[in-house]
Amino acid sequence: MNEFIQFFSNSSPENVSVSVKLLLLLTVLSLAPSILILMTCFTRIVIVLSFVRTALATQQMPPTQVLIGLSLFLTFFVMAPTFEKVNDEALIPLFNNEITLEEAYDRASVPFKEFMSAHTRQKDLALFLDYSKAERPKSVQDIPLTTLVPAFAISEIKTAFQIGFMIFIPFLVIDMVVSSVLMSMGMMMLPPVMISLPFKILLFIMVDGWYLVVKSLLQSY
């Protein structure tokens, strides 16, 4: 520890600045997966797309890698204004030595708080505020991230499950119709899934399902 302090004390301000920037970059990269999953729209998108694949009963089609990749690009598309604010208001001034690291953190958290609070249910936020016995925030900036992030996460999961339920309904109807027809024909040994799968894929293609699903996700933000 003493050697670490001595290193910085004997270094020039420029070297210390570069070291701090590298340390900040490594910290952000290590936390990037958690930030991406819990502080953006990634959770809702990937859950809804997984519901679509499950409702179609196509097993691994589309592959998981395709769903994750599509979810990532949709997340970057939706979160582009937020990322741009963070870059303009926090990162650029920090790298230009116009603000301190603490000020950069405060500025960077504001756009994320505004986005998350806009899509967080008051009920979920009140749950964590009451549990932590925290005072009611007067503004969005006063909400601590330790409270807002889990509240936003469970709100996103609930919304994703609501959308997934609506996606399941038409495919469930097809399964029920096919199963009833097979039973009336006495074909008990034939799995209904084998017969209903082509009809579900055909229905999904006819209504341009991927377009409708992605459009609904984008409009939900």
Side-chain angles (χ1 to χ4, degrees), residues 115-131:
F115 173 82
M116 290 189 291
S117 61
H119 300 93
T120 301
R121 297 189 307 166
Q122 295 297 323
K123 179 180 179 181
D124 296 329
L125 182 59
L127 170 65
F128 291 96
L129 288 174
D130 294 339
Y131 184 81

Side-chain angles (χ1 to χ4, degrees), residues 38-41 115-116 119-120 148-156:
L38 295 180
M39 298 178 63
T40 66
C41 57
F115 173 82
M116 290 189 291
H119 300 93
T120 301
L148 183 57
V149 171
F152 170 74
I154 63 176
S155 296
E156 287 290 279

Side-chain angles (χ1 to χ4, degrees), residues 17-29:
S17 177
V18 173
S19 301
V20 171
K21 291 178 182 179
L22 291 175
L23 180 62
L24 176 62
L25 179 60
L26 292 175
T27 303
V28 171
L29 290 177

